[in-house]
């Protein structure tokens, strides 16, 4: 089973199963992981699914695209490895991926 770990700003970690083709936002919402709301349903329009990808994983998962970038650029807690998790469609190759959640999303 491939898994992803979400780490909250408080340091709590939550592991969930990665499902091929399913976004990291939807996985987090389905698993009731705190800090990822996904208010816009995955349209890259709300920013409530912001995650910061572990530096060792950014090459594998890729950086944000232009639509994603437009939303992230308005986010005060944006970091170099920030992504909108609704725009991250999981693959089995991401087994072991770790993402952090920004302080704002507690
Ligand atoms: Fe709204 Fe990702 S769910 S931007």
């Amino acid at each position: 089973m491939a898994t992803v770990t979400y780490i909250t700003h408080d340091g709590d970690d939550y592991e969930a199963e990665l499902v091929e083709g399913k976004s990291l936002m939807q996985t987090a919402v389905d698993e009731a992981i705190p800090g990822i709301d996904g208010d816009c349903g995955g349209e890259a329009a709300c920013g409530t699914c912001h995650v910061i990808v572990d530096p060792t994983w950014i090459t594998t998962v890729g950086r944000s695209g232009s639509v994603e970038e437009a939303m992230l650029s308005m986010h005060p807690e944006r970091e170099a490895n920030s992504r909108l998790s609704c725009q991250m469609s999981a693959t089995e190759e991401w087994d072991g991926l770790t993402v952090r959640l920004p302080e704002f999303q507690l």
Side-chain angles (χ1 to χ4, degrees):
M1 175 179 91
T3 61
V4 54
T5 300
Y6 302 82
I7 302 175
T8 67
H9 188 75
D10 287 343
D12 294 329
D13 55 271
Y14 298 85
E15 188 177 275
E17 182 178 0
L18 277 174
V19 178
E20 185 86 23
K22 186 174 179 178
S23 77
L24 290 193
M25 177 280 283
Q26 197 59 58
T27 294
V29 168
D30 290 349
E31 296 295 323
I33 290 168
I36 295 191
D37 294 338
D39 287 344
C40 74
E43 300 297 323
C46 70
T48 63
C49 67
H50 180 193
V51 296
I52 299 146
V53 176
D54 184 283
T56 61
W57 279 96
I58 195 66
T59 303
T60 304
V61 305
R63 294 190 183 275
S64 55
S66 59
V67 172
E68 196 176 338
E69 194 57 38
M71 175 54 62
L72 282 170
S73 67
M74 293 187 280
H75 206 295
E77 295 183 286
R78 191 252 156 79
E79 295 188 20
N81 292 342
S82 287
R83 293 287 314 265
L84 295 177
S85 59
C86 67
Q87 304 300 303
M88 300 174 72
S89 183
T91 80
E92 296 276 322
E93 294 168 6
W94 293 5
D95 183 25
L97 172 65
T98 300
V99 297
R100 289 188 295 113
L101 308 188
E103 183 176 10
F104 178 69
Q105 288 168 214
L106 280 177

